[in-house]
């Protein structure tokens, strides 16, 4: 994820409490705010991965001689 200046803003949202509790547990977050922040980090990271995979595919992908070790 590109490092940019962080701007924190207070937000007031309606959120499904069960989803928030599940995300908090899955992410090992201590607070609900930390859970939301970590979940947003994962969404942004996923978008970066997909952009990278799209660029790889556009460049011709991997050739058939490229194998994962193991």
């Amino acid at each position: 994820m590109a490092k940019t200046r962080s701007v924190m803003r207070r937000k007031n949202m309606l959120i499904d409490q069960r989803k928030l509790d599940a995300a908090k547990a899955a992410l090992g977050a201590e607070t609900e705010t930390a859970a939301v922040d970590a979940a947003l980090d994962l969404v942004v990271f996923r978008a970066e991965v997909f952009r990278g995979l799209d660029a790889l595919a556009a460049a011709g992908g991997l050739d058939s001689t490229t194998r994962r070790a193991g």
Side-chain angles (χ1 to χ4, degrees):
M1 182 166 40
K3 295 291 180 186
T4 59
R5 187 170 161 233
S6 180
V7 177
M8 301 298 283
R9 297 223 171 107
R10 179 167 295 281
K11 300 293 177 184
N12 181 9
M13 296 183 260
L14 295 175
I15 296 179
D16 183 321
Q17 189 64 49
R18 287 176 291 171
K19 288 180 187 178
L20 184 55
D21 291 343
K24 186 177 168 192
L27 295 166
E30 291 187 21
T31 66
E32 291 178 344
T33 298
V36 170
D37 190 55
L40 291 172
D41 283 343
L42 287 172
V43 171
V44 171
F45 175 72
R46 183 181 75 171
E48 291 175 357
V49 169
F50 286 161
R51 277 194 301 274
L53 291 173
D54 288 343
L56 179 62
L62 301 176
D63 64 31
S64 62
T65 62
T66 305
R67 302 260 182 219
R68 194 172 96 191

